[in-house]
Amino acid sequence: MSADAGPAPEPAPALRIGNASGFYGDRFDALREMLTGGPLDVLTGDYLAELTMLILGRSRLKDPQKGYATTFLRQLEEGLGLAHERGVKIVTNAGGLNPAGLADAVRKLAATIGVPVRVAHVEGDSLPVPDGFLTANAYLGGSGIAACLRAGADVVVTGRVTDAALVTGPAAAHFGWGPEDLDALAGAVVAGHVLECGTQATGGNYAFFGEHDARSLRRPGFPLAEIHGDGSSVITKHDGTGGVVDLATVTAQLLYETGGARYAGPDVTARLDTATLTPDGPDRIRIDGVRGEAPPPTLKAGLTRLGGWRNEVVFVLTGLDIEAKAALVKEQFADALERGGGRPPAEVRWELARTDHADADTEERASALLRLVVRDQDAEAVGRAVSGAAVELALGSYPGFHVTAPPGKGAPYGVFEAIHVPAGDVEHTAVLPDGTRQVMQSPTRTEELADVDEPPLPAPYPSG
């Protein structure tokens, strides 16, 4: 360094992105906890599991103005003011099938409670719905979110985007990343994947939970990521919240729902086998070294449909001769259906759960559960004809006969299917706070996915 060279520039501060929802129905007060628990720049909420789109589709059939996660609006009644006071941007996919509708609802709420916020939304994920299906949506990337934030949005509502896009979009907007900054984008994808399921990164659903103090896992805090300009990050949580962030909990979530070393997305394919995780202090795990490759030329799309109708009856078998009692009720039920004159359901499945214990001190602990599940395309075939036939056995079947619920009608069940569509066929559009519509360009460089060569196995552990 020359004698007249000035001091090295200070590194840009990290962007602190938190998560307040891992699914539609997650802890309601998490949004408030994240906004009041410590410093944040962006707060995300993931509300869209695959079959959530089916739930929202049925909601939209009843009311075309709906189709979004109404819980998010209720959370904003208090959270919007808190976010405005603290300068926190909110980015969520709670828009579901109707992001424009939710964006309008947020504006109305803001006007009602007197909070001046600029609201934008992302659309274009909705695809033509094939015959027999209820919804069809492509998984968009983070570029539309980034465009909304660059235009000054305080709240960005999306429909179906990848879960990680809720993080890559804000990071790209903040650091000025473009589509060729593949390594940085890949690092943000990994951070977003760790955050997306909420408290699964802080000790929830953790296989080795017994290694931690049970009191700390009673109410795990939601995670956040400190993201840097090169895409590296530190996964942590607000001070004083429950749960634990360590190498094992972060690794468990990193590997959750991944199928190989190449983790493909609309913006970048992240190479999970290049990620390095290292402790960075209490409840802090650093992730760096992630390499990115060009994304595939197609987008994943999810289709949902009603698969048919389903009903269930659970018989309680208590005491001795459990197997014989189960065999008796199966034979009686089949005979009752045949005598009823209707055709049997297309699918009939029995499952005996031996929850009983010998010499039990309570009736419940002495009982096993025999579960009958039926499915059919016809609601009547699984309705009262099934549950009624089961309950009518009450005084003529095994000793101690009872079921866990009264007879009921069948309920619809859903099916999710994934397909891939050319990225260029999807018009990914950011609707900016002033109403301007900005169409996102598809990546100009793409790479077909290919398996990574399997690395050599490590040496086995010593015996003993």
Side-chain angles (χ1 to χ4, degrees):
M1 180 182 294
S2 62
D4 59 351
E10 290 288 330
L15 181 70
R16 292 174 62 90
I17 302 180
N19 171 281
S21 176
F23 67 100
Y24 192 8
D26 210 342
R27 214 160 73 206
F28 185 86
D29 56 5
L31 190 140
R32 184 183 193 281
E33 289 178 4
M34 289 300 290
L35 288 171
T36 59
L40 279 181
D41 299 302
V42 180
L43 183 59
T44 67
D46 180 6
Y47 292 78
L48 300 183
E50 281 72 17
L51 287 179
T52 306
M53 304 300 279
L54 179 73
I55 295 170
L56 297 178
R58 298 188 67 208
S59 169
R60 188 175 59 176
L61 288 177
K62 297 176 183 177
D63 182 353
Q65 304 302 314
K66 293 296 175 63
Y68 55 76
T70 55
T71 300
F72 172 71
L73 265 184
R74 298 203 307 274
Q75 290 173 304
L76 278 194
E77 290 176 4
E78 179 184 25
L80 194 59
L82 292 171
H84 177 67
E85 291 169 6
R86 290 160 172 76
V88 179
K89 308 283 189 180
I90 295 178
V91 179
T92 178
N93 61 14
L97 299 174
N98 188 7
L102 179 56
D104 285 341
V106 173
R107 292 186 189 97
K108 292 176 183 176
L109 173 64
T112 300
I113 63 179
V115 178
V117 295
R118 292 160 294 185
V119 183
H121 73 274
V122 177
E123 58 186 39
D125 59 296
S126 182
L127 304 175
V129 180
D131 290 343
F133 288 84
L134 188 60
T135 67
N137 298 81
Y139 288 72
L140 304 180
S143 59
I145 296 171
C148 292
L149 292 171
R150 287 171 178 145
D154 302 303
V155 178
V156 180
V157 173
T158 79
R160 178 75 274 185
V161 296
T162 65
D163 300 339
L166 301 176
V167 171
T168 61
H174 181 78
F175 294 112
W177 298 337
E180 294 301 316
D181 292 309
L182 297 177
D183 290 347
L185 287 167
V189 163
V190 169
H193 177 58
V194 173
L195 295 190
E196 70 187 49
C197 289
T199 53
Q200 278 192 184
T202 59
N205 288 348
Y206 177 54
F208 304 104
F209 67 95
E211 298 175 358
H212 298 287
D213 183 349
R215 291 172 297 180
S216 72
L217 298 179
R218 185 178 302 157
R219 188 180 173 83
F222 277 70
L224 62 93
E226 299 171 356
I227 300 181
H228 298 273
D230 62 354
S232 63
S233 64
V234 173
I235 306 299
T236 184
K237 60 188 183 69
H238 284 323
D239 291 341
T241 58
V244 59
V245 177
D246 64 12
L247 281 174
T249 63
V250 173
T251 299
Q253 175 56 29
L254 178 61
L255 298 179
Y256 176 71
E257 292 184 335
T258 59
R262 284 191 167 100
Y263 188 63
D267 302 313
V268 65
T269 293
R271 286 290 298 265
L272 301 183
D273 55 341
T274 63
T276 300
L277 278 62
T278 52
D280 192 58
D283 287 316
R284 292 176 61 84
I285 296 297
R286 177 174 295 280
I287 304 176
D288 54 22
V290 182
R291 300 294 303 275
E293 299 172 346
T298 59
L299 299 179
K300 177 183 174 181
L303 309 178
T304 67
R305 60 179 172 86
L306 294 177
W309 296 81
R310 176 187 185 280
N311 204 352
E312 176 179 301
V313 180
V314 180
F315 302 86
V316 183
L317 314 176
T318 306
L320 304 176
D321 304 318
I322 295 295
E323 301 285 347
K325 290 174 180 175
L328 174 61
V329 77
K330 288 180 186 180
E331 292 179 8
Q332 290 180 308
F333 177 79
D335 180 69
L337 278 186
E338 183 177 347
R339 291 176 182 276
R343 68 171 178 82
E347 179 183 343
V348 178
R349 180 169 60 85
W350 295 89
E351 183 174 351
L352 177 61
R354 294 301 301 266
T355 54
D356 53 306
H357 297 75
D359 300 320
D361 53 352
T362 66
E363 182 175 333
E364 184 174 7
R365 283 174 50 81
S367 299
L369 300 178
L370 177 64
R371 186 181 308 275
L372 165 66
V373 177
V374 293
R375 290 186 174 90
D376 200 283
Q377 293 296 311
D378 182 1
E380 292 187 4
V382 300
R384 294 299 290 265
V386 167
S387 55
V391 172
E392 288 171 4
L393 300 175
L395 300 182
S397 187
Y398 62 88
F401 179 103
H402 64 289
V403 294
T404 58
K409 298 183 294 183
Y413 68 91
V415 175
F416 173 83
E417 297 180 21
I419 62 172
H420 290 83
V421 297
D425 291 353
V426 177
E427 193 170 273
H428 181 175
T429 304
V431 183
L432 307 182
D434 64 359
T436 301
R437 300 177 65 83
Q438 182 176 340
V439 177
M440 302 295 103
Q441 297 301 312
S442 298
T444 56
R445 183 159 65 95
T446 62
E447 294 180 17
E448 294 284 355
L449 282 179
D451 292 334
V452 174
D453 292 338
E454 289 290 333
L457 292 175
Y461 284 115
S463 61

